[in-house]
Amino acid sequence: MTTLLVSQPNFADHVTPQGHPERADRIRAVEDALSRSRFDKLLRRNAPSGDLMLAELVHNSRYMAKLRDARPAEGMGQLDGDTFISADSLSAVSTGLGGALAALDAVLLGEVDNAFCAIRPPGHHAEIASPMGFCLINTVAIVAREAQRKYGAERVAIVDFDVHHGNGTQDIFQTDSTVFYASSHQMPLYPGTGKASETGVGNVANTPLAPNTGGESMRDAYASRIIPALVDFSPDLILISAGFDAHERDPLAQLNWQSADYGWLTGKLMDAAERTCGNRIVSLLEGGYDLKGLAGGVSHHVAMLMDGATGRLED
């Protein structure tokens, strides 16, 4: 397998208040973890800037104007109780989008088998009309639409294993049978959406997990519901909203996944990709707010993307 890693130093340009869990140190923790010799075979590229006008593929026509109006000339502006925008945030957002689209190009043109995008801020809470939950634009949703628009993908699947439900991604695609959205998430927890009864037009598979459960419950949920539904959908491409905040160390939730659980789950998604879409996977970083837990989860996730079953880590 050939795996592309996309990142960029300018993700630090998105500034959040001191003590905010979504902070620039997250990218540094990921990059430090992936600097080990175990990951020398990664193909590494800096994320280019992306065209933020592409946000209109999934957001309404006033969305970017709303963000630009809220962006301060200096310092920080506040969009809601926990979502901030700083003077240079849109530069980081543009780079996150550009990196994800570069990864899409590399995978769909056959240059690499799969890709991991170490980008911030996250995106899966951003709805059609509203940024929220640390998220400014819904990057994974834009990538899904661009796969359809640019490459003619007929069916795109998004699998979201962030501990919080991706209400924004569901909001965007819940009436679109060409995009499958599956999410495992803690419930009850922010943002309060993601009941199993929320099925869209048959294209949404929500699997809530109870607080204080661990990898066993997650593995059962994927083996019994999400993976069969994903394979049945038979996508042309699998996108992953890769949040690492279900880790037992994370301060914002109460699931007890271990770092190795992310390797197991990645392997199962790779099995599905091999069966349905020629191994094509693009994974985008979403949450994960304990730096050690984030680094551990990402290490197992990327090692599995690189080497499949032989990529399991001991630590």
Side-chain angles (χ1 to χ4, degrees):
M1 306 293 288
T2 303
T3 298
L4 172 66
L5 171 65
V6 178
S7 194
Q8 232 309 347
N10 88 325
F11 291 128
D13 291 348
H14 173 57
V15 179
T16 54
Q18 186 173 4
H20 195 282
E22 205 298 287
R23 59 208 191 274
D25 286 343
R26 298 177 62 239
I27 299 298
R28 286 190 281 269
V30 169
E31 291 178 342
D32 285 348
L34 299 181
S35 69
R36 293 159 46 199
S37 59
R38 169 67 180 80
F39 299 103
D40 284 350
K41 291 191 298 180
L42 280 170
L43 178 63
R44 300 168 188 263
R45 289 182 181 157
N46 280 341
S49 296
D51 181 3
L52 290 179
M53 291 299 294
L54 292 173
E56 292 191 8
L57 292 172
V58 302
H59 297 296
N60 67 22
S61 60
R62 283 289 304 158
Y63 192 93
M64 289 308 302
K66 181 178 179 179
L67 288 183
R68 291 187 180 99
D69 289 346
R71 178 183 55 179
E74 57 185 30
M76 279 176 284
Q78 191 163 4
L79 297 168
D80 65 20
D82 55 18
T83 307
F84 294 83
I85 185 167
S86 62
D88 295 318
S89 287
L90 292 185
S91 173
V93 168
S94 170
T95 305
L97 177 60
L101 293 175
L104 176 72
D105 289 342
V107 169
L108 291 190
L109 292 173
E111 183 181 0
V112 298
D113 295 287
N114 55 52
F116 177 67
C117 306
I119 60 177
R120 68 180 285 268
H124 70 152
H125 292 308
E127 297 183 331
I128 293 171
S130 300
M132 60 183 287
F134 310 166
C135 301
L136 298 184
I137 66 170
N138 198 313
T139 306
V140 74
I142 298 169
V143 173
R145 280 288 185 242
E146 189 68 349
Q148 294 179 320
R149 186 189 72 87
K150 184 175 181 179
Y151 290 101
E154 295 182 0
R155 296 176 306 281
V156 178
I158 301 171
V159 179
D160 186 339
F161 57 69
D162 192 279
V163 80
H164 303 94
H165 179 246
N167 58 295
T169 309
Q170 180 172 299
D171 178 52
I172 290 164
F173 294 120
Q174 61 188 336
T175 61
D176 183 352
S177 62
T178 70
V179 178
F180 173 78
Y181 176 67
S183 174
S184 62
H185 47 273
Q186 181 179 320
M187 183 172 277
L189 193 67
Y190 179 90
T193 54
K195 297 185 176 80
S197 59
E198 298 170 19
T199 58
V201 290
N203 64 323
V204 174
N206 285 313
T207 306
L209 302 172
N212 302 309
T213 59
E216 183 176 353
S217 294
M218 177 273 289
R219 293 177 191 221
D220 179 68
Y222 277 86
S224 65
R225 184 174 187 202
I226 293 178
I227 297 297
L230 174 62
V231 171
D232 186 63
F233 181 73
S234 190
D236 300 310
L237 168 71
I238 295 174
L239 303 177
I240 302 176
S241 275
F244 297 89
D245 38 6
H247 197 283
E248 65 171 355
R249 296 179 57 92
D250 202 90
L252 299 189
Q254 297 81 41
L255 292 187
N256 295 315
W257 297 14
Q258 307 297 308
S259 295
D261 288 324
Y262 291 101
W264 180 90
L265 176 50
T266 305
K268 292 300 178 184
L269 295 176
M270 292 175 71
D271 289 344
E274 183 178 18
R275 294 173 62 184
T276 62
C277 61
N279 297 308
R280 291 186 289 271
I281 292 176
V282 178
S283 177
L284 283 65
L285 179 64
E286 297 280 3
Y289 304 105
D290 176 85
L291 299 184
K292 186 173 181 179
L294 172 62
V298 167
S299 293
H300 283 262
H301 178 58
V302 174
M304 189 63 73
L305 287 175
M306 291 172 64
D307 296 324
T310 62
R312 294 190 179 96
L313 300 180
E314 297 300 322
D315 56 338

